[in-house]
Structure formats: C-alpha cells, structure tokens
Amino acid sequence: MVEVGRCKMKSLLIDGGCVLNGQIKVQGSKNAALPIIAASLLFPGKTVLQECPQIRDVELMKNLLECLGCEVSSRENCLSVEAGEAKVNNLPARWVGGMRSSILLLGAMLARFHSAVICYPGGCVIGERPIDLHIMALEKLGAEIHIEGECIIAKATNLKGCKIQFPISSVGATEQAILAACGAQGITDLYNAATEPEVVHLCRFLHSAGIEIQGIGCKHLRITGQSFAKNYPGEIQYTIPADRIVAGTYLLMAAACGGEIYLENGQSQEMEALLAVTRQLGSRVEGSKTDLPGGIFLKAEKNLKAPEKIVTGPYPEFPTDMQPILAATLSKADGESIIEETVFENRFCYVSELEKMGGKFRTDNRRLSVYPAYLHGACVQAADLRGGAALVLAGLIAEGRTKVENAHFIERGYEDIVRDLRKLGAKITSET
C-alpha cells in the first residue's frame, strides 16, 4: 500500500527561455482512469487497465480499493484489480479527502454491497463543487442517505431503475448515477447526462464488462441494471485513453515557448475546442504527420495572437481545466484577451501568483482580462493541480529562474512533468 500522505515532489526549478522541440507520449487520462477504477469494484473477477497513469490520485484510489478488500497490483502503467473478496469497510478520511473522485465509490458500493459510509471528498480548491446532484440521483434510484457530520451514510436494500433528469450537466453526478444504475433492477434513463470523453470511456468500459448501455456519447443514456450477470466475461481488459488535458498543457507550452512538438498518441478528436484556440494563437496544428500516424503535431509561430474571448463550458466547449494554462499562455500574446469561466466560481486563485512574475490581469467576477506582459522568474506556490501547471508554463516563458512550491498538487494529474518537459528541451528539475 502506498503512503500517499508524503509528498514526493516539493518544488520545481525552471530556467526560462527554452524552445520546446521533440516527441513525447501522453500519459493515460486521470479523469477517465479514476471512475473506471471505481467501477472495477462492481465485478467479482479481475480488471486489467492498460496505460493507467502513475499519479497521486490513482495511488489514492488504489489504497481505497485495498481498504475494501480488493487485491490491487500495478506494474509500470498496468493496473490490476481483483474485487472478488471485496466487502464494506470504513475508508480513511485522509484518503477520501485527498481527491474529488473518491465520492464515486459511493455509487459503486451501493450497487455491489447495498450500503456505504464515506466522508466528504476532497481535491483542489477551485469552487464549491457540491454533491447534491450525486445524492439526488442515488435517492431517485432508491438509496436512503443520511449526513452525519462529515460522513455520508447510505443504504439501498433494493435499487430500482428510474428516470433521472439532471438540471445541469455534471460529469461526476452522471458517473455516479451510471455506477449505481449498474446494480439496479430494471432500466435507468439519464437525461441531460454529461457527454465528456471521460463519461464515454466509463460507459465503454462497463459495456465491455457486459453492462447494456444505450446512447453512449449522447445526453440521454439508458442503462440496463444487473445485465452483466449474464454477459460478464470474468476478466475485463481495457486501455485508458491519452489524457486530453495533459496533451493540451504540452501543446500550449509549445505554442508559448516556440518550437515543434509531436504528441504521438494525442486524441485530437476529443480536443477540437482547444485545438481551435491553439490555431487562433497562430500555431499550426495537425491531427497527424504522414510518417507518424495518429497523434497531434504543433509548430509554433514566433508571435502569439491574442484571441478576443474564450468561454469555458461543458464538453465540447473549451475545458475549464485548461483555463489557467491558457491564461499563462496569453501573457505572451499580442493584445488583450478575455476568459469567461462558466464552470467553477473560484478558478482564478492562481492569478495572484502569476502577478508575482509580472503578469497583468484584471478579474471581474467570472471574467479574467489578460494583458501582454514580460514575465520574470519568482518563487510562487501552486494551490491546485491546473493552477500549478500554469505556473510551470509561466516559468518556461519567464526570464530567469522560477521556483514552483507545493508541486505535489501537480503530481495529482501529471505523471512526470519534469521527465516530459526535459525530453522537449526544457531546463527543469525537481526538489524532493
């Protein structure tokens, strides 16, 4: 069992001014892997996940499954889960509180064991991120849920399929409902379901395990509960797709620093909004190269053009996870840009750290104006995962040396950002 309470990486040291060139392979998707690992709890046999990212959030989820009696093993980027002997157990608050996705174990436990006790989830401080839609969906399916202090206590003697209408599109609540519906009797219809690629991959994984799901990739999903009982293959093999946010991070870093990079397994079909903005910046982006099929190729122009306005939103709109990284990139663009954040109300907390490096911004509620600026190295602190990545990008384009403290936040989603950037020619090292 991995001790995740200790930080592996305390800070990053970055010498700015490098051009990025080269080819790297993008790690497996954090946001796809975590719900799929939670879903492995549903099945009594073995689940093998290829290309599973070696990140801190995956370590946390592995520990939680082990607390529930699963046998979990990993070798490089292959994760195996044996859930045949799994049972209800108390989950340590320090691990549940370490990441948002731990809440998905609630639906999986209700579907498998008909009861669950779990603390409120943690994760990055980027907004309120309430779980009211999670609870609404579970109660619609027949669960009885009580809140006692920081604990969620749930029982479900008999989950039954139903119709669930989400008032807003929520990735987490959609995934929660899907997992619980797998153990329900009858058919569950989800309306206004989230259509993010991570939801699609969860559905494909469940389908490979024998669950009947209709409407994959659409806003109306139909799940036939307990259908895997007759279709379950006994062992599930699934490959986690490349992480579209990590891929987008490296593309924007290259656009800001200059040079040419190739992401050999980038999922361009899942990144159309981001690629469109990257082209607006002036970079040439292609879905593939003739000698390297698949992936994404980017060639940066010397001067970045400032897009007039970018609005974040649910897929397929510009992803909120890329917003901080784009803001750092736009500091080098010619002209003013406006970013409107429609998903999380507290996602501009990184701005004060970028201002220490000379960044020029103006915030107005959920609107961020970004002005051209010459960034200089400074000592800054990451407060969340994507804000931390934005500080790394700022360090790459700044003059002098930048120290990014609290780099353990970055480890939550980037397998080895130092390794990847050094392959591309960046001067970056870590302190442990």
Side-chain angles (χ1 to χ4, degrees), residues 249-320:
T249 299
Y250 294 149
L251 289 175
L252 288 185
M253 286 178 171
C257 293
E260 299 182 21
I261 70 167
Y262 184 76
L263 306 179
E264 64 181 73
N265 59 334
Q267 304 289 308
S268 58
Q269 70 276 15
E270 297 180 353
M271 300 171 59
E272 291 183 1
L274 187 142
L275 296 182
V277 170
T278 306
R279 293 186 180 102
Q280 290 178 49
L281 291 168
S283 296
R284 180 164 67 89
V285 185
E286 299 175 2
S288 65
K289 290 174 65 177
T290 55
D291 58 333
L292 291 168
I296 304 173
F297 170 77
L298 178 142
K299 181 177 182 180
E301 291 297 326
K302 185 176 181 180
N303 297 318
L304 293 184
K305 304 173 185 177
E308 185 175 337
K309 185 177 180 180
I310 301 95
V311 180
T312 68
Y315 186 82
E317 298 175 43
F318 190 86
T320 180

Side-chain angles (χ1 to χ4, degrees), residues 3 38 66 97 116 134 158 173 180 186 191 208 216 250 283 296 318 323 331 338 364 368 372 397-398 423 425:
E3 178 52 65
E66 287 177 338
H134 294 245
N158 189 19
Y191 298 97
S208 72
I216 296 176
Y250 294 149
S283 296
I296 304 173
F318 190 86
Q323 179 253 102
S331 292
I338 295 175
D364 179 14
L368 177 70
I397 61 177
K423 281 184 179 180

Side-chain angles (χ1 to χ4, degrees), residues 38 41-42 68 87-88 103-118 134-146 152-160 176-185 226:
L41 185 63
L42 295 170
L68 294 171
K87 57 187 180 300
V88 177
I103 191 64
L104 296 178
L105 290 171
L106 185 61
M109 285 191 285
L110 284 173
R112 176 81 183 272
F113 311 125
H114 311 296
S115 67
V117 178
I118 193 169
H134 294 245
I135 293 175
M136 178 273 289
L138 295 176
E139 288 181 334
K140 286 273 189 180
L141 286 161
E144 297 179 5
I145 298 178
H146 305 281
I152 305 166
I153 302 171
K155 293 183 179 180
T157 305
N158 189 19
L159 292 174
K160 291 185 177 180
Q176 187 81 267
I178 291 170
L179 293 176
C182 289
Q185 294 180 352
Q226 304 180 6

Side-chain angles (χ1 to χ4, degrees), residues 55-321:
I55 55 176
R56 291 178 62 79
D57 277 15
V58 166
E59 291 177 357
L60 281 166
M61 191 65 85
K62 286 162 55 179
N63 286 359
L64 291 170
L65 287 185
E66 287 177 338
C67 285
L68 294 171
C70 299
E71 293 183 14
V72 186
S73 61
S74 59
R75 183 178 180 183
E76 295 181 348
N77 293 102
C78 178
L79 179 72
S80 297
V81 180
E82 289 270 10
E85 301 300 320
K87 57 187 180 300
V88 177
N89 197 5
N90 292 331
L91 299 175
R94 69 184 186 279
W95 292 340
V96 174
M99 64 170 175
R100 176 74 175 176
S101 295
S102 60
I103 191 64
L104 296 178
L105 290 171
L106 185 61
M109 285 191 285
L110 284 173
R112 176 81 183 272
F113 311 125
H114 311 296
S115 67
V117 178
I118 193 169
C119 297
Y120 269 87
C124 291
V125 183
I126 55 175
E128 292 183 2
R129 309 178 82 178
I131 60 170
D132 56 325
L133 295 183
H134 294 245
I135 293 175
M136 178 273 289
L138 295 176
E139 288 181 334
K140 286 273 189 180
L141 286 161
E144 297 179 5
I145 298 178
H146 305 281
I147 310 296
E148 293 185 6
E150 292 297 312
C151 287
I152 305 166
I153 302 171
K155 293 183 179 180
T157 305
N158 189 19
L159 292 174
K160 291 185 177 180
C162 63
K163 299 182 187 299
I164 300 174
Q165 174 77 44
F166 291 109
I168 60 172
S169 176
S170 167
V171 173
T174 298
E175 292 169 340
Q176 187 81 267
I178 291 170
L179 293 176
C182 289
Q185 294 180 352
I187 292 174
T188 298
D189 286 294
L190 306 182
Y191 298 97
N192 197 26
T195 59
E196 269 71 1
E198 295 76 26
V199 175
V200 171
H201 288 290
L202 173 62
C203 290
R204 288 175 179 169
F205 166 79
L206 293 169
H207 187 265
S208 72
I211 298 290
E212 296 177 14
I213 303 181
Q214 296 174 278
I216 296 176
C218 301
K219 298 188 78 63
H220 175 205
L221 288 172
R222 171 167 286 186
I223 303 105
T224 301
Q226 304 180 6
S227 50
F228 71 92
K230 60 180 179 180
N231 301 319
Y232 180 57
E235 179 175 318
I236 313 165
Q237 298 268 351
Y238 195 81
T239 299
I240 304 297
D243 195 306
R244 62 191 177 105
I245 304 301
V246 172
T249 299
Y250 294 149
L251 289 175
L252 288 185
M253 286 178 171
C257 293
E260 299 182 21
I261 70 167
Y262 184 76
L263 306 179
E264 64 181 73
N265 59 334
Q267 304 289 308
S268 58
Q269 70 276 15
E270 297 180 353
M271 300 171 59
E272 291 183 1
L274 187 142
L275 296 182
V277 170
T278 306
R279 293 186 180 102
Q280 290 178 49
L281 291 168
S283 296
R284 180 164 67 89
V285 185
E286 299 175 2
S288 65
K289 290 174 65 177
T290 55
D291 58 333
L292 291 168
I296 304 173
F297 170 77
L298 178 142
K299 181 177 182 180
E301 291 297 326
K302 185 176 181 180
N303 297 318
L304 293 184
K305 304 173 185 177
E308 185 175 337
K309 185 177 180 180
I310 301 95
V311 180
T312 68
Y315 186 82
E317 298 175 43
F318 190 86
T320 180
D321 279 355

